[in-house]
DNA sequence: ACTTTTTGTATCCATATTGTCTACAATCAG
DNA sequence: CTGATTGTAGACAATATGGATACAAAAAGT
């Protein structure tokens, strides 16, 4: 038997002055209780109990050990309780890493709500668009906008699809002729996410399946917010997720372009270490994200 | 794995920041270490360690648990050490029960010697001639003068044979005619151990084997010392162990009677609880008894 | 003075549990 | 790029476990 359990059994035997009573109370057979104490005695190399058929009393050694056991078992219970507390109640620090734009636009309010709900959690929100190793840097949670099937050693949980649209300002579309086919894109001013090294084409799904279409890049940015600003100001056509341009589409600052040729869908994905046991703070944050963003997210109200 | 051992493994993994290093130091396979920690995590329902292939760091929960583990393991080690101390070094109280005469005559000096050797042992010596239940009354050691094959639930250890002799003072033997045969005993004043209810005969071994011979009891006593005194003062023939009358026989105050008809031998026997683990104080006391009394005891120098 | 009940333990035995070995993916050193 | 090292999963044999049973000792009931 586990030595900690043996100690529990032993103290119970001492408390009840008998093996049988201890066995009954602990839901064990008398054999098991007897064996546990004998094993404990053998390991210690000392007699702990003086047995007569009707009464069991600790020896001098046994009594000394009994006192120590109480102390130790108390500490063990306390340690377990403290772990369970940390595990089951949202406490401690939650370190979240997320991309800049999604973070400022949508995660900010959510973090505020989360903190209001769980006042014992301190949150550290790190926003950046470079790739980080969440384990190496000790993040509990990393939010990425990525292909759904993105593989990694981390657990990936798709919170919600990130629909993307081609869009431009009405002023731009009025001035230039609105493209009727994706082939026309290379005649348009296109606003590309990424660096100047990024390929100058977009993948779009048309009636003939997914195809790659050349574009004329007039601007590159690794930040969606700046691309949106350029688009709103009539500087061209951008391919942006609806969580950035959803509101613009609703109030007409931007208009969807080539709606029959949607780009492949991405996913708002949460990454966290491959853990068997998710701590409460992480679990609750994920739950809140799914409640707020899942299903039909608020930025996607116009289908 | 035993949870205490698991905790040891876990703390070592934290100390060394790695499973492999911990495994090497503890003489375990990496698998065993990994499984131990995983089991601990499963039982606690919490992640304790954040693993990346090259570095292992405790989680928030893990660090808290680590601190508790150090405390608990320290206490466990201390408890084990204290038991071993009590077990291996002669400490504490030694409770000895013994018959009155043997106690006063022979155990007294021995106890003194024992105490001088082991100054940390307190000795409680209870001398009485009634039968006591050593377990019920909590004696560590009970000395009895008994038939060698005396059965009991206790462990019996024969320290040394207790030879007995028929003896009387020369003055008595000169006055009355010295008996030539045990049959003559019923014409003699006999000093009997026991109470008036005790049978009035002695068992003696002659050429024809062990036989019972009637005696004429003139005195009963449950205390050998008083019988000896009566014999020395010429009041008759007593059947007494040599550890009482040995010296008297050597210096002629008493003379052996019917030496060819010796009574059955008894044994100086130590009784102690049926323990797998004998504590140091008991073991050492038994050893000292065997050293001092064993072989040819000093009271039996004249064969 | 009996029977009955209760005690602690030894033994048997099916069932779990254990730890090692091996294999593997991930990662780092050179 | 190669080779070494990491933590873990799975297979497997060895071991341990705990319940049922039996039993002697002792108390309680009759």
């Amino acid at each position: 038997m586990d030595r900690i359990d043996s100690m529990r059994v032993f103290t119970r035997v001492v408390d009840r002055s008998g093996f049988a009573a201890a066995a009954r109370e602990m839901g064990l057979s008398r054999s098991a209780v007897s064996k546990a104490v004998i094993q404990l005695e053998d390991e210690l190399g000392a007699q702990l109990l003086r047995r007569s058929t009707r009464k069991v009393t600790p020896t001098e050694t046994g009594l000394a050990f009994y006192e120590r056991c109480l102390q130790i078992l108390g500490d063990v219970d306390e340690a377990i309780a403290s772990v369970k507390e940390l595990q089951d109640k949202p406490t401690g620090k939650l370190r979240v890493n997320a991309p800049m734009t999604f973070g400022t636009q949508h995660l900010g309010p959510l973090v505020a709500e989360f903190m209001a709900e769980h006042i014992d959690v301190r949150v550290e929100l790190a926003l950046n668009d470079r790739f980080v190793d969440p384990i190496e840097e000790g993040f509990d949670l990393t939010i990425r906008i990525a292909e759904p099937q993105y593989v990694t050693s981390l657990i990936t949980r798709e919170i919600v699809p990130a629909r993307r649209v081609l869009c431009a300002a009405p002023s731009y579309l009025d001035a230039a002729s609105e493209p009727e086919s994706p082939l026309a894109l290379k005649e348009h001013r296109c606003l590309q996410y990424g660096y100047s090294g990024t390929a100058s084409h977009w993948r779009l799904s048309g009636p003939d399946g997914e195809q790659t279409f050349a574009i004329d890049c007039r601007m590159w940015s690794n930040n969606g917010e700046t691309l949106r600003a350029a688009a709103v100001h009539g500087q061209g056509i951008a391919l942006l997720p609806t969580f950035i341009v959803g509101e613009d589409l609703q109030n007409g600052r931007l208009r969807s372009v080539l709606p029959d040729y949607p780009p492949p869908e991405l996913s708002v994905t949460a990454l966290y270490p491959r853990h068997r046991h998710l701590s409460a703070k992480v679990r609750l944050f994920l739950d809140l994200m799914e409640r707020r963003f899942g299903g039909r997210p608020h930025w996607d109200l116009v289908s």
Side-chain angles (χ1 to χ4, degrees), chain A:
Chain A
M1 184 185 291
D2 181 275
R3 301 218 296 284
I4 288 179
D5 291 329
S6 292
M7 285 163 68
R8 284 192 211 282
V9 167
F10 167 67
T11 57
R12 187 67 69 98
V13 170
V14 171
D15 288 340
R16 296 286 167 267
S17 306
F19 288 62
R24 274 191 301 271
E25 289 183 20
M26 305 189 80
L28 289 171
S29 64
R30 279 174 295 152
S31 311
V33 172
S34 173
K35 283 180 189 172
V37 174
I38 287 173
Q39 179 182 323
L40 211 51
E41 289 178 327
D42 285 350
E43 275 174 12
L44 292 167
Q47 204 68 18
L48 297 175
L49 298 175
R50 196 179 281 120
R51 288 98 152 151
S52 86
T53 315
R54 277 291 145 172
K55 216 185 306 174
V56 172
T57 44
T59 62
E60 202 173 9
T61 306
L63 194 59
F65 188 66
Y66 170 79
E67 308 285 354
R68 308 266 190 172
C69 278
L70 290 186
Q71 168 74 32
I72 290 166
L73 292 174
D75 286 354
V76 167
D77 290 340
E78 210 176 291
I80 292 173
S82 107
V83 166
K84 293 237 182 292
E85 167 95 10
L86 232 50
Q87 182 66 14
D88 299 338
K89 293 191 185 170
T91 342
K93 194 199 285 181
L94 177 70
R95 303 192 68 222
V96 181
N97 177 268
M100 188 68 74
T101 307
F102 186 78
T104 51
Q105 300 264 337
H106 302 290
L107 226 43
L110 190 117
V111 165
E113 182 180 358
F114 183 76
M115 290 175 67
E117 256 180 62
H118 309 292
I119 55 170
D120 286 339
V121 183
R122 282 169 296 135
V123 178
E124 179 179 333
L125 184 60
L127 298 182
N128 55 59
D129 289 319
R130 68 182 166 82
F131 179 78
V132 300
D133 180 341
I135 296 182
E136 203 57 48
E137 306 201 20
F139 287 111
D140 295 309
L141 205 51
T142 300
I143 313 297
R144 299 281 96 173
I145 312 299
E147 305 274 335
Q149 73 287 3
Y150 184 67
V151 285
T152 166
S153 72
L154 303 164
I155 302 261
T156 67
R157 178 146 146 196
E158 290 181 38
I159 303 300
V160 63
R163 207 161 60 83
R164 291 186 296 173
V165 291
L166 290 178
C167 56
S171 62
Y172 172 82
L173 293 174
D174 291 345
S177 61
E178 180 162 350
E180 301 291 323
S181 145
L183 295 170
L185 284 173
K186 62 172 176 291
E187 316 303 336
H188 277 272
R189 304 166 67 91
C190 291
L191 313 172
Q192 170 73 311
Y193 184 90
Y195 307 91
S196 63
T198 307
S200 294
H201 48 70
W202 283 337
R203 296 188 65 78
L204 301 174
S205 300
D208 305 330
E210 199 171 293
Q211 281 180 282
T212 300
F213 299 97
I215 59 172
D216 177 14
C217 284
R218 289 301 177 99
M219 171 185 179
W220 291 268
S221 173
N222 71 336
N223 179 274
E225 185 65 15
T226 54
L227 293 175
R228 169 196 165 268
V232 166
H233 283 88
Q235 291 311 304
I237 301 174
L239 196 169
L240 286 171
T242 52
F243 65 76
I244 294 181
V245 295
E247 206 176 330
D248 297 319
L249 291 170
Q250 284 171 47
N251 60 27
R253 271 195 296 270
L254 290 176
R255 224 162 67 202
S256 182
V257 173
L258 289 169
D260 296 331
Y261 294 85
E265 224 173 42
L266 299 182
S267 250
V268 177
T269 304
L271 308 175
Y272 49 90
R274 176 163 273 128
H275 279 176
R276 226 176 298 265
H277 310 282
L278 211 50
S279 70
K281 58 193 179 201
V282 175
R283 186 164 26 80
L284 288 171
F285 194 86
L286 283 169
D287 289 350
L288 182 61
M289 282 184 71
E290 296 214 317
R291 269 210 310 285
R292 287 290 165 269
F293 300 153
R296 166 71 44 96
H298 60 79
W299 58 73
D300 243 7
L301 277 186
V302 169
S303 69

